[in-house]
Amino acid sequence: LAELVARLRAAELVAVDTETTSADPMRAELVGMSFAVEDDRAAYLPFGHRYIGVPEQLPADLVLRELKPILEDPAVRKVGQNIKYDMLVLARHGIGLAGVVFDTMVASYLIDPSKRAHNLDQIALDFLDHRCIPFEEVVGRRRGVETFAEASLEQAGPYACEDADVTRLAHRVLAQRIEDLGLRELMDSVELPLVPVLMRMEMRGVAVD
């Protein structure tokens, strides 16, 4: 953990991803986090896996306490896929994610709004010619695993690391495409600043009469 924190602090760009128990960020429990600071190499920090025979994990409060200063530091540049989700989950754990300079999902949408899907699997196929590990291979009824918390570390680790690695690799390609299409100002001045606004709206909720 100490070594990873030092690497994150020194990195020019950090890809961040959370692994949780639900697609609903207001209900999701944090299971682990993955990071990538260089090509084809990533790290997964598991702290919420629970199943019979699970190896010992670092306590969640220790991990989050060590990561909090970096995650909240605007000088540490970060990229994510659908980063609003991660912002919501982390906010519920007392961490205000800052320093986000790029969201691959938002970029994919700006490049081609008519595309049916902008998830990481589709982005990897379209822009990196890479097929990601299917989520169903890690979690699903076929494997008898209900949530990511029950996924074995042997399978969860590669899946989570790939998420961070692919996000960082996709950032390079998508950022250049955004530049080539003249969408940089729209991305930086409208779309990215809107993400934390929407995040706060979702946390606050709306009253319905």
Side-chain angles (χ1 to χ4, degrees), residues 49-94:
H49 287 264
R50 50 179 188 267
Y51 56 88
I52 295 174
V54 63
E56 185 178 2
Q57 302 163 83
L58 289 173
D61 58 348
L62 168 65
V63 174
L64 296 178
R65 186 169 66 247
E66 292 294 315
L67 291 176
K68 182 181 172 75
I70 291 174
L71 294 173
E72 293 188 339
D73 188 346
V76 179
R77 299 169 67 248
K78 304 171 187 78
V79 58
Q81 161 71 13
N82 186 18
I83 200 68
K84 177 165 65 69
Y85 175 90
D86 306 280
M87 284 180 168
L88 279 162
V89 173
L90 290 171
R92 291 179 42 238
H93 289 78

Side-chain angles (χ1 to χ4, degrees), residues 18 20 22-30 82 84-93 199 202-203:
T18 57
T20 69
S22 172
D24 180 351
M26 296 302 290
R27 298 175 185 269
E29 298 174 34
L30 199 51
N82 186 18
K84 177 165 65 69
Y85 175 90
D86 306 280
M87 284 180 168
L88 279 162
V89 173
L90 290 171
R92 291 179 42 238
H93 289 78
M199 184 272 289
E202 288 186 29
M203 288 202 77

Side-chain angles (χ1 to χ4, degrees), residues 82-167:
N82 186 18
I83 200 68
K84 177 165 65 69
Y85 175 90
D86 306 280
M87 284 180 168
L88 279 162
V89 173
L90 290 171
R92 291 179 42 238
H93 289 78
I95 295 174
L97 186 63
V100 175
V101 297
F102 203 84
D103 186 322
T104 50
M105 186 182 78
V106 172
S108 175
Y109 173 79
L110 288 179
I111 291 167
D112 186 358
S114 64
K115 230 170 51 168
R116 186 177 60 86
H118 299 278
N119 56 51
L120 192 60
D121 289 358
Q122 194 63 51
I123 289 171
L125 278 174
D126 293 347
F127 296 98
L128 302 175
D129 194 26
H130 173 76
R131 187 175 298 277
C132 291
I133 301 168
F135 184 71
E136 294 74 20
E137 283 191 11
V138 182
V139 178
R141 275 181 288 181
R142 184 163 55 87
R143 296 193 53 80
V145 177
E146 291 187 8
T147 73
F148 205 80
E150 286 81 46
S152 71
L153 293 187
E154 290 77 14
Q155 289 205 304
Y159 175 87
C161 285
E162 184 181 56
D163 277 357
D165 184 42
V166 167
T167 297

Side-chain angles (χ1 to χ4, degrees), residues 13-17 34-37 77-80 164-165 167-168:
L13 182 72
V14 178
V16 181
D17 186 56
S34 57
F35 302 91
V37 299
R77 299 169 67 248
K78 304 171 187 78
V79 58
D165 184 42
T167 297
R168 191 175 184 281

Side-chain angles (χ1 to χ4, degrees), residues 111 172-184:
I111 291 167
R172 184 183 303 140
V173 178
L174 293 171
Q176 186 59 55
R177 190 72 63 89
I178 288 285
E179 197 73 47
D180 294 343
L181 293 171
L183 297 171
R184 170 60 62 183

